[in-house]
Amino acid sequence: MATGASSSEEQAALLAEQGEFAAAICRYKVTIAERPDCAKLFEQLAQCLLETEQYPEAYQAASEALNLAPQWPEALLTLARCSFNTGLLPDANHQFSQYLDMQPHDVEVQAELAEVKHLQQQQLALAVGLPGLQIEQSYGAQGGPGHVVWEAGLVLSRYFVSHPELVRGKRVLELGCGTGVVGITLACLGADVTLTDIAAIVPHTKYNLQCNRQLIQSGHGKAAEAALDWNSPSSSQSLLAKQYDLLVGADLIYAAKDMSPLTDTLQQLRQHSSDCPLTIAHKIRSLPATNQFLAQLRQVGCSLHEAETDGAVCIYISEIVTPQLPVNSAMLVPRGKS
């Protein structure tokens, strides 16, 4: 049996080398039925499927190869190429980046990753509605949550592009800016924006700012980055003491532990910009957590109402009110979410 299986695999490989990909695919499938736990067979099948432009099937085969051999660079690379050809650019970015973490000197793959990032930038600029916008997104060892554009950031950016009068000429502070997509968009619309995040994220934000300097100048806006840690906002007193016309943020909280540091920071900001409204985009992952978040914002003087909904993302705009005692969070259920 082992000899037959080996012979079948060799026949499939020979057919692939000769460019007989359809025949090789059939042979690989027969061999996989005999050896369903062989990652190499699935990876070779995926390559043949790529050659015949059967991209969804190639993606499935490459995924199975990586499931069977999670640390195998070749399987990861094949999956990255399948993701790229299937149009899954964020996945391709992530997978190429992971491969380069393991094989950092592969020049060919570096070029493939650069192409993926370029296409991602074009897609994002189109989705936001701001031609020429360049936002670098990083995965792998060099990336993380703050180096990726999340859905709420895209929705909020698009919202302001549709309503540029809300920000033109305004002094804006962005909280938790990450890649900077929202703040950079506002600067391109003519706002004077300070983009803030923790110190580890700021260099990535700065890079994206530099990539968009010309676009910002053409929009008559300004933008600068600064570190602001909600867990120790006192270290950024000069930043908090400035006067702002608008506070913005997208997907500011993911876990309950982030709520109090954020509301404490907002409270300090309001000491100097008491009439400054807040506009946020928030993805509703849990309705009770969203109600709790809205209730805590109310307690520090930000009474939010829903302005627009895009899928699971809601855009909330605040009216400045006098801080009150805690209110019944059940009263704060977003419209259409009860």
Side-chain angles (χ1 to χ4, degrees):
M1 174 67 78
T3 301
S6 176
S7 176
S8 181
E9 180 181 350
E10 290 171 357
Q11 290 174 19
L14 181 59
L15 287 167
E17 288 176 7
Q18 294 172 343
E20 301 290 339
F21 297 113
I25 288 168
C26 292
R27 179 55 58 185
Y28 275 125
K29 287 181 177 179
V30 169
T31 309
I32 285 172
E34 300 169 351
R35 300 165 60 195
D37 58 349
C38 181
K40 181 181 178 182
L41 291 174
F42 280 101
E43 191 274 334
Q44 291 174 333
L45 171 62
Q47 289 199 43
C48 290
L49 290 164
L50 278 175
E51 292 289 346
T52 56
E53 299 183 358
Q54 299 179 63
Y55 300 132
E57 287 188 44
Y59 180 87
Q60 293 176 359
S63 296
E64 186 59 32
L66 194 62
N67 286 336
L68 290 168
Q71 303 303 317
W72 186 23
E74 284 72 14
L76 181 59
L77 178 57
T78 299
L79 180 58
R81 288 169 173 160
C82 292
S83 296
F84 182 29
N85 283 283
T86 310
L88 302 174
L89 296 183
D91 289 351
N93 188 331
H94 194 183
Q95 291 150 3
F96 278 129
S97 297
Q98 286 183 309
Y99 173 83
L100 287 170
D101 288 342
M102 295 185 280
Q103 305 287 338
H105 304 299
D106 192 323
V107 177
E108 180 182 356
V109 176
Q110 290 173 4
E112 290 179 88
L113 177 58
E115 184 179 1
V116 168
K117 289 185 174 184
H118 178 67
L119 290 173
Q120 271 191 290
Q121 289 181 347
Q122 290 183 322
Q123 279 192 353
L124 181 62
L126 183 64
V128 169
L130 197 60
L133 181 67
Q134 299 179 54
I135 300 296
E136 172 87 4
Q137 300 184 66
S138 298
Y139 298 81
Q142 302 302 315
H147 294 72
V148 178
V149 174
W150 297 96
E151 184 181 3
L154 171 59
V155 169
L156 188 57
S157 299
R158 188 162 54 218
Y159 172 78
F160 282 120
V161 168
S162 299
H163 303 282
E165 72 282 357
L166 297 177
V167 298
R168 188 177 295 118
K170 300 282 184 70
R171 296 164 298 181
V172 181
L173 178 73
E174 183 183 4
L175 296 160
C177 66
T179 63
V181 63
V182 175
I184 291 170
T185 297
L186 269 57
C188 292
L189 297 174
D192 181 356
V193 189
T194 303
L195 298 87
T196 68
D197 211 312
I198 58 173
I201 300 296
V202 169
H204 187 70
T205 307
K206 182 177 182 179
Y207 175 81
N208 280 330
L209 278 176
Q210 292 171 340
C211 290
N212 290 277
R213 284 297 179 195
Q214 187 172 352
L215 197 62
I216 292 170
Q217 289 174 4
S218 66
H220 306 290
K222 298 179 182 178
E225 76 287 344
L228 176 59
D229 188 340
W230 304 341
N231 289 298
S232 57
S234 58
S235 62
S236 303
Q237 280 301 321
S238 61
L239 186 67
L240 299 176
K242 292 182 179 180
Q243 292 287 323
Y244 301 101
D245 302 310
L246 177 65
L247 305 177
V248 300
D251 242 353
L252 291 175
I253 62 161
Y254 188 81
K257 64 180 178 62
D258 300 323
M259 292 185 190
S260 292
L262 171 60
T263 53
D264 290 346
T265 300
L266 286 170
Q267 201 162 23
Q268 292 196 43
L269 280 164
R270 290 200 61 230
Q271 292 176 7
H272 301 279
S273 299
S274 58
D275 59 347
C276 181
L278 170 69
T279 299
I280 64 171
H282 176 71
K283 184 167 184 177
I284 299 178
R285 300 177 176 89
S286 163
L287 190 55
T290 296
N291 287 333
Q292 182 185 356
F293 178 43
L294 298 177
Q296 288 202 16
L297 289 174
R298 172 81 183 185
Q299 292 171 31
V300 297
C302 296
S303 178
L304 294 171
H305 67 271
E306 187 179 318
E308 189 171 297
T309 302
D310 188 332
V313 177
C314 290
I315 294 176
Y316 295 101
I317 298 176
S318 73
E319 300 168 352
I320 300 301
V321 298
T322 302
Q324 300 177 357
L325 293 174
V327 297
N328 185 352
S329 64
M331 299 173 60
L332 297 169
V333 176
R335 294 198 308 272
K337 301 297 179 183
S338 58

